[in-house]
Amino acid sequence: STCLLTLARCKPVTCFARGLIDFSNAYMASGFIASSGRMDYANPITIGCNAGYTIYPQDARCRNSSVVRCQDNGDVTGANATCTAFTCAASTLGDDLADTMTPPAPLHYNVSASVVCKEGRRAAAETAASADCSAPTGYNVTCRDCAINRGGLACKPVGCDVQLLNATLGTSGYVPPGPQAPAAVQFGQLVPVKCAVGWYIPGTIATQVTETVNVTSFVNSTILVPGRPGMGNASMVNMTVSTPRIEEVSTTTYYPFPRDGMSLCGSSCTMSLCVRSPCNISALG
């Protein structure tokens, strides 16, 4: 008789029947298997989620792909992860000069919103220092990759031209030259202005100025001096002399409409100008 020897062969553990198949079927609408091939023991397979979804709880960051491995017991590491739709929080906008967003955050993936800038701010390139007054008062954003995408725009303060202010003042005043007179300022900043006589900038606080001056006066006094020949028997006579005396006198002047003021850069890129000082009719009596 003949004896036949049958040799058994070792086969790698595969996880196709468990774990990963369940993962892919359960999240067919949002998940996918990024790499294909046999899911053999220790063989890494990259799994991921469709756009707008993130793997949870693989890690706390916004991440839509992960690597799983087949274990020797046929289970898949990380197969309990799910693809969860993410939202973009308001904090991801990154624009402190923005005022409102419609619709408000959080935003879902691929949802757009309109951002309105605060007063005195307009939309400009995010690298710009200031915005032009003709620029829009806001911009549109979209939720992308767990963060709000501004498309390179941001709210920037409008600017005012100081040289234009000087030309507009004309004979009513001027911007004093010097380091305090920049070529341009931003919304809310002030520029010193010297108004002409009879002009002032509305809103300037009334001032009073106290000045101290030296006043000279003369004090008369009588002294005795020796008499002169021919004046009789008197040996002494009276003489009046004047002695100067210097005193400090303080005077206070009230200015309800001071000429020295500060011009404010407004939200419309215009600056406050000098206007004529009103007269107090009651002062006529």
Side-chain angles (χ1 to χ4, degrees):
S1 61
T2 302
C3 294
L4 297 177
L5 179 63
T6 303
L7 298 177
R9 295 184 178 183
C10 294
K11 295 183 179 181
V13 176
T14 179
C15 293
F16 265 117
R18 303 170 61 181
L20 188 62
I21 294 297
D22 296 335
F23 173 84
S24 130
N25 290 337
Y27 303 103
M28 186 177 299
S30 58
F32 64 95
I33 301 175
S35 58
S36 59
R38 289 184 57 83
M39 190 60 180
D40 295 334
Y41 169 71
N43 184 35
I45 295 292
T46 300
I47 61 173
C49 300
N50 289 331
Y53 292 83
T54 181
I55 287 186
Y56 179 85
Q58 186 66 22
D59 56 42
R61 295 172 297 175
C62 182
R63 186 174 178 179
N64 68 347
S65 65
S66 181
V67 174
V68 297
R69 286 179 170 84
C70 178
Q71 301 181 87
D72 58 358
N73 63 355
D75 290 333
V76 177
T77 60
N80 63 329
T82 61
C83 288
T84 305
F86 65 76
T87 57
C88 297
S91 59
T92 63
L93 177 63
D95 190 349
D96 295 334
L97 298 182
D99 189 15
T100 60
M101 181 190 302
T102 307
L107 302 177
H108 289 282
Y109 172 73
N110 218 24
V111 172
S112 298
S114 298
V115 173
V116 177
C117 300
K118 295 180 180 179
E119 180 187 4
R121 283 84 175 181
R122 299 293 179 98
E126 57 186 359
T127 56
S130 60
D132 190 84
C133 268
S134 61
T137 57
Y139 54 91
N140 295 327
V141 297
T142 306
C143 178
R144 292 272 196 271
D145 299 329
C146 297
I148 297 175
N149 189 318
R150 303 196 311 263
L153 298 176
C155 294
K156 299 292 181 177
V158 297
C160 294
D161 190 339
V162 178
Q163 294 180 349
L164 178 61
L165 168 65
N166 223 354
T168 306
L169 286 170
T171 58
S172 66
Y174 64 95
V175 177
Q180 292 182 331
V185 292
Q186 294 181 353
F187 168 74
Q189 293 182 331
L190 298 168
V191 175
V193 170
K194 183 80 171 181
C195 296
V197 177
W199 298 74
Y200 82 109
I201 292 183
T204 303
I205 300 176
T207 59
Q208 59 181 22
V209 179
T210 301
E211 298 177 326
T212 301
V213 296
N214 293 330
V215 178
T216 303
S217 61
F218 293 89
V219 179
N220 295 330
S221 59
T222 302
I223 61 174
L224 292 174
V225 297
R228 295 194 299 270
M231 295 183 63
N233 296 326
S235 60
M236 301 294 289
V237 296
N238 293 326
M239 178 177 289
T240 302
V241 296
S242 296
T243 303
R245 183 175 61 185
I246 300 176
E247 295 179 311
E248 289 187 350
V249 178
S250 297
T251 59
T252 300
T253 306
Y254 180 70
Y255 295 96
F257 306 107
R259 294 169 53 195
D260 293 334
M262 303 295 290
S263 180
L264 175 68
C265 178
S267 58
S268 59
C269 295
T270 57
M271 305 194 69
S272 46
L273 303 176
C274 298
V275 299
R276 290 193 179 275
S277 304
C279 294
N280 187 2
I281 301 178
S282 62
L284 297 176

